[in-house]
Amino acid sequence: FSVGGFDCVLGNPPWDKINLKDEEYFASIKQEIADAPTKSKRTVLIEALKTEDPDAWHAYMKVQHFHDALSMYLRNGPRFPKTGVSRINLYSVFAEHGCFLLAPTGRLGYVLASGIATDDNNKDLFWYLVDKSRLAFVFDFENREGIFKDVDSRYKFALLAVTGNKLESSQADFAFYLTNMEQLEETERHFTLTREELYLLNPNTKTCPTFRNRAEAELTKYIYKRVPAWELQEKTDEWPG
């Protein structure tokens, strides 16, 4: 990343995918389109707007163009090489952008989806932060105790902390499956992983393994050090010499 300039970046970025959902768009405009039983039926009703309601048609096309253009920019532009992939979620690109903005001695703190550490779409950003020793911690929560009252109890979110490139840390702190803030004080729930240990556990996916406590993490590291994971190799027609 380029050298940024902010000492502190804090935020709770939006958790939305970059794709226009016709059902949601038309729910407050054309209820009959939103309630169409199938996608093909919905498409027919939308096409009919060309003649039945040109203003609604042009408004819809304008919104559709915005989503398509934004998706193309995020995927093909130079600003988001690590998160502008697959089905892009805004929280991912916000995380990458926040890291880009940090000063060398700055710190970032975000509340976002736990997938920032565990989803395949985010593996390039996650591994970059690990590889450059810029990941400070990831604390994962389940909303079962209603930390966020208006959010479904099944949602998982995380507290992510990242440092600038002059504040390197040899290992990151992790805690998963928390249900309230007080559990952050329970030291046995925390475990640390170095760059080498993360690669040892997930050499192929390069995403973060999840454990319920330190004992689980230490046992798994012990096993993998004795019996390493199989690594994917490039396909070849020749046997090794």
Side-chain angles (χ1 to χ4, degrees):
F1 295 144
S2 300
V3 175
F6 288 95
D7 294 323
C8 181
V9 176
L10 296 175
N12 178 11
W15 305 3
D16 295 314
K17 289 186 172 65
I18 307 298
N19 62 309
L20 179 63
K21 296 181 179 179
D22 293 336
E23 304 97 309
E24 295 180 1
Y25 175 79
F26 285 105
S28 60
I29 302 173
K30 298 284 184 180
Q31 192 64 48
E32 65 275 15
I33 296 179
D35 292 340
T38 64
K39 182 178 180 181
S40 58
K41 178 63 175 177
R42 190 175 301 110
T43 300
V44 171
L45 293 174
I46 293 173
E47 286 294 317
L49 291 177
K50 289 182 181 180
T51 55
E52 296 175 0
D53 193 341
D55 289 341
W57 165 258
H58 287 299
Y60 169 73
M61 293 304 294
K62 184 176 181 179
V63 173
Q64 183 68 66
H65 173 74
F66 170 80
H67 279 78
D68 292 344
L70 178 59
S71 178
M72 183 176 296
Y73 170 73
L74 295 177
R75 293 176 190 279
N76 302 319
R79 194 63 178 271
F80 303 99
K82 303 185 186 305
T83 55
V85 297
S86 190
R87 299 186 66 186
I88 301 171
N89 198 305
L90 284 174
Y91 80 79
S92 302
V93 295
F94 266 78
E96 182 171 1
H97 184 61
C99 295
F100 175 86
L101 294 176
L102 272 186
T105 56
R107 291 174 172 82
L108 173 145
Y110 272 177
V111 180
L112 32 62
S114 297
I116 193 66
T118 58
D119 287 359
D120 184 71
N121 288 1
N122 298 317
K123 65 182 179 183
D124 290 342
L125 176 61
F126 177 76
W127 185 251
Y128 167 84
L129 296 174
V130 170
D131 189 47
K132 300 300 181 182
S133 301
R134 294 185 57 185
L135 184 64
F137 64 73
V138 176
F139 298 147
D140 159 78
F141 291 83
E142 297 173 325
N143 199 43
R144 289 189 283 113
E145 294 188 30
I147 297 174
F148 293 108
K149 301 299 182 182
D150 297 326
V151 176
D152 190 283
S153 62
R154 294 167 295 181
Y155 267 78
K156 291 172 66 66
F157 68 93
L159 306 180
L160 170 74
V162 175
T163 65
N165 56 27
K166 286 189 177 180
L167 294 177
E168 295 183 357
S169 175
S170 60
Q171 57 186 15
D173 185 13
F174 297 94
F176 283 87
Y177 305 105
L178 307 176
T179 58
N180 59 65
M181 293 299 170
E182 289 72 22
Q183 290 171 343
L184 284 173
E185 302 297 326
E186 300 175 16
T187 57
E188 69 274 9
R189 287 182 173 269
H190 291 255
F191 60 92
T192 58
L193 293 172
T194 65
R195 175 189 182 279
E196 292 72 23
E197 288 170 340
L198 277 161
Y199 188 83
L200 176 72
L201 297 176
N202 281 345
N204 299 310
T205 64
K206 294 184 178 178
T207 55
C208 186
T210 62
F211 303 105
R212 291 188 177 276
N213 51 56
R214 181 180 302 169
E216 283 187 7
E218 292 303 319
L219 176 60
T220 305
K221 286 190 285 185
Y222 176 78
I223 293 172
Y224 274 66
K225 286 175 182 178
R226 291 175 61 87
V227 186
W230 285 63
E231 293 187 47
L232 295 176
Q233 304 293 331
E234 292 185 8
K235 184 178 180 180
T236 178
D237 294 328
E238 299 180 0
W239 287 93

